[in-house]
């Protein structure tokens, strides 16, 4: 069976830390895959605050097109995870977010992930280019 390959950059432009709490632990007594996806989404929102601060009447949204995760090791209750993000594969309608998840104390690799983000017009029901293009959108984010 072919394995997913995610090429991570050597440097990440953003990082945040999240605590592994009891509600994140599954029957195997480690971080559940659903909780990891929740952590990735929390990091994404912290990285892209503009996405949350969009006016309610806006019809241009960012949507998730795909998600790939490579699990490297278990994470456990009480650990703190650092989630680092970088952008990649910028194209006409969106870009990829690349994630590296590590345990803070030991620096142990927990997971690598890639999430494709696309700009979507909910009125027209189609993909759109953000004002100033995707590079312009990302440039505005880097300034904030």
């Amino acid at each position: 069976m072919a394995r997913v390959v995610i090429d991570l950059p050597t440097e990440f432009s953003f990082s945040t830390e999240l605590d592994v709490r009891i509600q994140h632990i599954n029957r195997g007594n480690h971080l559940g895959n659903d909780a990891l996806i929740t952590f990735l989404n929390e990091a994404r929102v912290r990285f892209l605050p503009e996405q949350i601060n969009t006016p309610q009447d806006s019809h241009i949204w960012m949507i998730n097109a795909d998600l790939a995760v490579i699990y490297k090791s278990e994470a456990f209750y009480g650990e703190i995870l650092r989630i680092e993000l970088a952008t990649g594969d910028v194209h006409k309608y969106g870009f990829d977010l690349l994630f590296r998840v590590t345990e803070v104390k030991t620096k142990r690799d927990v997971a690598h992930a890639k999430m494709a983000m696309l700009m979507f017009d909910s009125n027209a029901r189609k993909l759109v280019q953000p004002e100033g293009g995707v590079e312009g959108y990302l440039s505005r984010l880097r300034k904030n």
Side-chain angles (χ1 to χ4, degrees), residues 27-60:
R27 193 169 179 192
N29 205 32
H30 56 233
L31 181 70
N33 60 3
D34 59 327
L36 177 65
I37 293 168
T38 298
F39 280 24
L40 297 176
N41 279 312
E42 178 64 27
R44 173 183 54 85
V45 168
R46 291 180 184 188
F47 178 64
L48 301 170
E50 206 173 277
Q51 185 178 354
I52 295 303
N53 297 326
T54 302
Q56 290 293 341
D57 61 348
S58 176
H59 56 93
I60 306 297

Side-chain angles (χ1 to χ4, degrees), residues 88-96 116-119 127 129-130 133-135 138:
D89 193 24
V90 176
H91 55 85
K92 185 175 174 179
Y93 297 114
F95 54 93
D96 286 346
M117 304 304 298
L118 300 172
M119 303 304 286
L127 296 177
Q129 295 179 50
V134 174
E135 285 287 355
L138 292 173

